[in-house]
Amino acid sequence: MAEITIYNSLKCKLETIDFEFTDKNTTWFDDCVNDQDVHKITDVFGGLLIREYGYNYPVC
């Protein structure tokens, strides 16, 4: 379990959540080159968590 900070687009604010990334709930994309490339997509709390390759906050 890891504590991560996400941008909740429904609430328009940053939030901190506890979450575990696993093979069951996450798809990783290993061929990322640019900061804007999608690095992983995770099923979380009935929605999707999309993480870019760069240092931006994941968007939920």
Side-chain angles (χ1 to χ4, degrees):
M1 189 78 55
E3 188 175 273
I4 62 170
T5 302
I6 63 167
Y7 179 75
N8 186 328
S9 58
L10 294 176
K11 297 179 182 178
C12 297
K13 67 177 188 173
L14 293 174
E15 295 183 334
T16 301
I17 61 171
D18 288 322
F19 193 76
E20 184 173 356
F21 296 96
T22 66
D23 290 339
K24 227 176 180 183
N25 65 15
T26 304
T27 301
W28 281 271
F29 302 94
D30 295 326
D31 57 349
C32 299
V33 177
N34 300 314
D35 285 347
Q36 304 87 346
D37 291 347
V38 174
H39 176 61
K40 62 185 164 190
I41 298 176
T42 305
D43 295 321
V44 58
F45 310 126
L48 292 176
L49 181 67
I50 302 169
R51 172 74 173 155
E52 292 182 346
Y53 185 63
Y55 290 102
N56 292 332
Y57 290 106
V59 177
C60 185

